[in-house]
Amino acid sequence: MKTNFTSLFVGVLVLLLYTQTAPAQKNNFNDSTAETLSPVSVYALKGKPTHRSLKLTHADWVKHDAGEVLLQIPGFSSIRKSGDFGFDPVFRGFKWEQVSILNDGGLTAHAACPNRMDPPSSQVMINQVEKIEVIKGPHNFRFGPATGAVVNFKTADPVFSSQKEIFGRINIGGESNGNIFRTEGQLGMRGKNIQVSLAGSYSNGQDYRDGSGTIIPAVFNRGAINLNAAYQVKQNQVASVNITRNFARNTSFPTLMMDLLSDDTWMIQGKYQVKSANRWYSQWNTQVFTSFVDHQMGNGLRPASATMLSHVFSNTQTSGGRTEFQIKRNNQTIYLGADLKYEYANGNRTRTMITGMMAGKTFTDTLWQKASLLHTGFFGHFDKTIGKYEFTLSSRIDLVHAKPKAVSAKYAGTNTDLETVDLNPSISAGINRIFSRSFQAGLWLGRGVRSASITEKFINFLPVGLDAYEVVGNAQLRPEVNTQLDLILAYKNQYTSVQLTLFTSSVQNFISSVVDPTLKPVVSTAPGVRKFINISTARLSGFEFHWNQQAGNRIRNEFTATYTQGQNRELDQPLPEINPFEIRNKLQAELYKNRITGYISLRHSFEQNRVSAAFSEKTTAAFTVTDLGLNIKPAAKLQFTLAVQNLFNITYKEHLSRYISSTLPLNSPGRNLVIMGVYHF
């Protein structure tokens, strides 16, 4: 039945394709010049699709979590503790602070939940993003000490007009499974020297059903508002400010002991850009930024099963700035700059006993002990083309100062020398060779160094990992060092584009945790205590394969395959939370003068049986999910999207999704009907 339906759908698309009478157009793959390979990839470009990038559509703008949008990019997966919120990105097995999430190269937000209910990606207002850059591995250090990946969400540069113009859009949609409502919009004005816009978004949803009809708790409420203003001070000099206010309310996290009650965030960024053709530099970009996150969580939304009432108040701050000069001379480009970032995290948990001999008593626990990290960095990046070769050299040095200001007695009993200073040098070199108009290859070797995060150093007996063990930080963690080799091979002709990326990483001082039997948990129901430690060596290796095909001028097929294998060399067992081998295929056709685009998408995730015994990680079964969709443009400024996700109502669990209970997994949604419409002017 499934095979027959898929074959029928493909046959209809092909039939419609070849019955169109529109003249043939130049093929997207037949570019006039070859493109240089790089570990820095543009994976989404709003309104300007190219053969090497995914198009960021209005259906993505209305998403309430940028982490979900990243799942379109091969190699990305996400740790899920809630059905529809807090998609915590994982790339090639790297996670948490190994994956840096930035807005315009600097602005970010520190998760105010120790369990990362609000990862930095959840604070990105996706409808303001023009394109997404992914720096894979430790190969470009302009935006920080990259180890696993840097994800840079970039907003569009301002556009000025000789006449005053009003612009904007409104986007409204819904999903059947979970009764999800989404809306977003923007209204702006531009003139000769100014552009101002106000944008907003709001989404909410209820519990959904998996493919077997089981109800999965997934209530969420998410909203945001943004003010973006730019002023042209003089020719080629622009000052701008970007202010975002995010909020979340009463959101279910069934795999954790608490739910999100409120999350309130301010993100503010000011930038000044100077372009020059007559000075020693081509561009000079400077920015300052700050973010504040106030977070509350508790188990008050599910008191029937609680023996104690828990409540957490926490807050984080991230502030800093960066300045960078771009120097272009003939066939070379140089970036020189410096950056500064201050991170602070604080919070308390109150536990009120409601049963037993201690009923009525209240205990207060500190979370991060008012800890802070101060990062100071200097960087340089160099690109030069000589004939058919392009050479790249990137480096930086970071000074990281860490300390807690309110140390708890229990934590102090497990740690010494609480204040630390790390000096971290990072360097990478690469070479790209263009062999012909069709074939090129690139090789990069990098060494990226990062200091341990506030959580890894100073978390104070809280369950923040894969299992139910409480975790205590380690102030003396050594910096994590990733030495990585990437090989990229690419071939293209008029109808086909193929790219294969092979990578292997050797991570020294890999940060993980082990059970310490000498430590007693704060909450008696916890099975024990883990302490963060350095593992001497961990290995991660794998590949990403992309194959795009063009049939005629209307039909296109995209095939991708990704795989990562991680190994703890010290324990000689797999690293935890590594996504399994996965393949995807998307067949797309443009019909009726490009007013209708139809697609069928199949995703197959193989069984993951390489799991960590040290973390009692469970295996995950293989699954195949099929989606269908139509994008319809009845008019130039109006567009509709109709889609059916999980067409065959498959019951499946993503490997990185947590468990609600030992026997109840956090399964993904069953069949889901999606309807959206956008009008822009």
Side-chain angles (χ1 to χ4, degrees):
M1 176 65 182
K2 298 178 185 178
T3 303
N4 291 339
F5 185 89
T6 302
S7 301
L8 177 62
F9 184 83
V10 173
V12 170
L13 286 180
V14 173
L15 179 62
L16 289 173
L17 168 70
Y18 286 103
T19 55
Q20 303 306 304
T21 58
Q25 301 173 358
K26 183 180 178 181
N27 193 282
N28 285 335
F29 293 125
N30 190 19
D31 293 337
S32 59
T33 59
E35 295 179 351
T36 300
L37 299 181
S38 172
V40 183
S41 300
V42 178
Y43 274 96
L45 195 60
K46 183 184 291 184
K48 300 177 183 178
T50 71
H51 74 270
R52 63 171 180 173
S53 56
L54 301 171
K55 184 180 179 182
L56 191 62
T57 68
H58 74 276
D60 296 312
W61 304 344
V62 79
K63 296 290 187 183
H64 64 277
D65 194 325
E68 185 179 3
V69 177
L70 290 178
L71 296 178
Q72 299 179 59
I73 300 174
F76 273 94
S77 50
S78 68
I79 298 173
R80 304 190 193 189
K81 303 158 192 170
S82 172
D84 273 318
F85 190 79
F87 297 78
D88 204 352
V90 177
F91 182 70
R92 294 176 172 175
F94 292 97
K95 59 187 178 183
W96 290 21
E97 276 74 18
Q98 295 169 329
V99 179
S100 179
I101 304 295
L102 302 175
N103 295 260
D104 290 324
L107 175 65
T108 188
H110 191 289
C113 169
N115 253 307
R116 294 173 68 91
M117 290 179 176
D118 55 343
S121 55
S122 71
Q123 304 291 4
V124 175
M125 195 171 179
I126 196 67
N127 69 344
Q128 293 301 99
V129 173
E130 182 193 38
K131 60 183 178 180
I132 304 171
E133 290 180 343
V134 178
I135 301 173
K136 304 176 181 180
H139 300 304
N140 187 312
F141 301 109
R142 290 173 55 204
F143 304 116
T147 51
V150 175
V151 183
N152 187 22
F153 293 90
K154 299 187 69 174
T155 56
D157 290 331
V159 177
F160 303 108
S161 172
S162 58
Q163 303 292 327
K164 287 186 178 180
E165 296 178 353
I166 303 296
F167 62 92
R169 68 173 181 271
I170 182 68
N171 192 345
I172 299 175
E175 301 181 22
S176 62
N177 195 351
N179 296 321
I180 294 175
F181 169 78
R182 305 184 191 277
T183 186
E184 68 87 23
Q186 182 183 34
L187 180 63
M189 180 274 291
R190 62 171 61 99
K192 183 178 180 181
N193 294 309
I194 192 170
Q195 176 178 293
V196 180
S197 69
L198 185 67
S201 64
Y202 178 73
S203 300
N204 65 55
Q206 304 299 315
D207 300 340
Y208 63 74
R209 293 182 182 273
D210 67 11
S212 301
T214 302
I215 296 177
I216 304 297
V219 173
F220 74 92
N221 292 272
R222 181 61 165 172
I225 189 168
N226 171 269
L227 174 66
N228 196 333
Y231 179 70
Q232 187 169 245
V233 179
K234 58 177 68 174
Q235 187 69 26
N236 294 325
Q237 294 190 28
V238 177
S240 62
V241 63
N242 193 316
I243 302 172
T244 300
R245 170 75 164 87
N246 294 329
F247 66 88
R249 296 288 184 271
N250 297 337
T251 297
S252 299
F253 277 81
T255 67
L256 302 177
M257 298 301 294
M258 303 184 199
D259 296 310
L260 184 153
L261 303 180
S262 67
D263 193 87
D264 295 276
T265 302
W266 284 97
M267 301 179 72
I268 304 171
Q269 184 177 46
K271 297 187 294 183
Y272 198 91
Q273 182 184 77
V274 179
K275 295 182 179 180
S276 174
N278 303 316
R279 294 187 175 96
W280 61 272
Y281 59 85
S282 304
Q283 283 192 40
W284 180 16
N285 296 300
T286 301
Q287 64 171 274
V288 293
F289 56 83
T290 189
S291 66
F292 303 91
V293 185
D294 289 304
H295 182 85
Q296 290 189 59
M297 60 181 177
N299 62 353
L301 299 180
R302 37 179 164 173
S305 60
T307 59
M308 68 178 177
L309 189 63
S310 298
H311 199 104
V312 168
F313 293 89
S314 58
N315 62 281
T316 63
Q317 176 188 347
T318 306
S319 299
R322 70 186 303 270
T323 188
E324 176 186 75
F325 292 95
Q326 182 192 70
I327 307 164
K328 284 192 172 183
R329 295 288 186 273
N330 299 322
N331 294 326
Q332 68 181 30
T333 302
I334 301 173
Y335 297 91
L336 296 172
D339 48 39
L340 180 74
K341 183 171 70 172
Y342 172 78
E343 297 176 273
Y344 171 81
N346 184 36
N348 293 300
R349 175 182 64 179
T350 60
R351 295 176 290 120
T352 302
M353 312 308 293
I354 57 178
T355 62
M357 296 179 61
M358 302 182 72
K361 291 188 177 182
T362 298
F363 302 90
T364 301
D365 312 306
T366 180
L367 305 180
W368 291 289
Q369 308 166 95
K370 296 185 177 180
S372 64
L373 295 181
L374 179 62
H375 306 253
T376 305
F378 299 90
F379 62 87
H381 186 90
F382 174 78
D383 290 315
K384 185 175 180 63
T385 301
I386 302 177
K388 295 184 177 181
Y389 292 89
E390 181 177 88
F391 300 92
T392 299
L393 180 65
S394 189
S395 64
R396 70 179 288 125
I397 188 165
D398 292 279
L399 184 68
V400 183
H401 182 200
K403 66 177 181 180
K405 295 181 180 178
V407 182
S408 75
K410 189 171 178 64
Y411 175 88
T414 67
N415 280 270
T416 58
D417 301 325
L418 303 182
E419 187 171 346
T420 61
V421 177
D422 298 330
L423 185 64
N424 304 332
S426 300
I427 189 168
S428 177
I431 183 172
N432 184 74
R433 170 70 155 92
I434 299 174
F435 292 92
S436 67
R437 289 172 58 89
S438 297
F439 179 69
Q440 60 179 304
L443 185 69
W444 284 264
L445 177 64
R447 179 185 187 273
V449 185
R450 76 163 185 103
S451 289
S453 67
I454 287 179
T455 294
E456 291 163 337
K457 280 181 173 288
F458 301 118
I459 196 67
N460 188 31
F461 291 87
L462 288 169
V464 298
L466 175 61
D467 53 31
Y469 283 79
E470 291 183 354
V471 183
V472 62
N474 184 348
Q476 290 299 309
L477 286 170
R478 296 185 297 278
E480 198 173 67
V481 182
N482 179 23
T483 303
Q484 181 169 318
L485 182 69
D486 284 70
L487 172 65
I488 305 178
L489 306 172
Y491 172 83
K492 68 175 181 179
N493 60 27
Q494 185 176 2
Y495 303 105
T496 297
S497 173
V498 180
Q499 181 168 308
L500 173 65
T501 301
L502 304 170
F503 70 91
T504 182
S505 294
S506 177
V507 187
Q508 285 75 45
N509 300 327
F510 186 86
I511 297 174
S512 185
S513 64
V514 293
V515 176
D516 188 336
T518 67
L519 300 178
K520 293 184 178 181
V522 172
V523 178
S524 59
T525 55
V529 178
R530 289 183 171 274
K531 186 172 183 177
F532 279 113
I533 63 163
N534 290 110
I535 295 173
S536 58
T537 307
R539 291 285 177 88
L540 294 103
S541 302
F543 67 86
E544 290 120 32
F545 177 74
H546 306 248
W547 182 17
N548 293 343
Q549 296 173 282
Q550 194 85 24
N553 65 309
R554 300 185 187 279
I555 196 164
R556 177 174 177 159
N557 194 70
E558 301 175 9
F559 175 85
T560 63
T562 58
Y563 178 71
T564 297
Q565 182 181 104
Q567 187 77 4
N568 181 331
R569 298 297 297 275
E570 200 164 288
L571 296 179
D572 193 26
Q573 64 174 247
L575 290 173
E577 297 185 300
I578 304 291
N579 212 48
F581 179 37
E582 182 176 290
I583 59 174
R584 305 183 191 188
N585 195 84
K586 183 177 183 180
L587 180 66
Q588 179 175 298
E590 295 180 349
L591 313 171
Y592 299 107
K593 300 180 180 180
N594 298 332
R595 290 191 175 185
I596 298 178
T597 301
Y599 70 86
I600 178 171
S601 174
L602 291 93
R603 171 177 168 240
H604 181 77
S605 180
F606 288 79
E607 178 186 12
Q608 180 57 292
N609 51 23
R610 283 184 50 83
V611 293
S612 171
F615 287 85
S616 300
E617 188 179 20
K618 298 181 180 181
T619 61
T620 304
F623 60 85
T624 303
V625 178
T626 304
D627 299 334
L628 296 179
L630 285 176
N631 295 320
I632 305 169
K633 297 178 68 174
K637 297 181 179 181
L638 184 64
Q639 184 172 342
F640 296 99
T641 296
L642 303 174
V644 181
Q645 299 172 341
N646 193 358
L647 176 66
F648 299 112
N649 203 28
I650 299 298
T651 302
Y652 70 100
K653 175 189 174 294
E654 303 282 355
H655 180 65
L656 300 188
S657 294
R658 298 287 175 80
Y659 279 77
I660 299 174
S661 67
S662 59
T663 58
L664 179 60
L666 182 67
N667 286 333
S668 295
R671 186 181 295 112
N672 185 31
L673 175 64
V674 180
I675 301 176
M676 293 184 184
V678 61
Y679 175 75
H680 62 91
F681 55 91

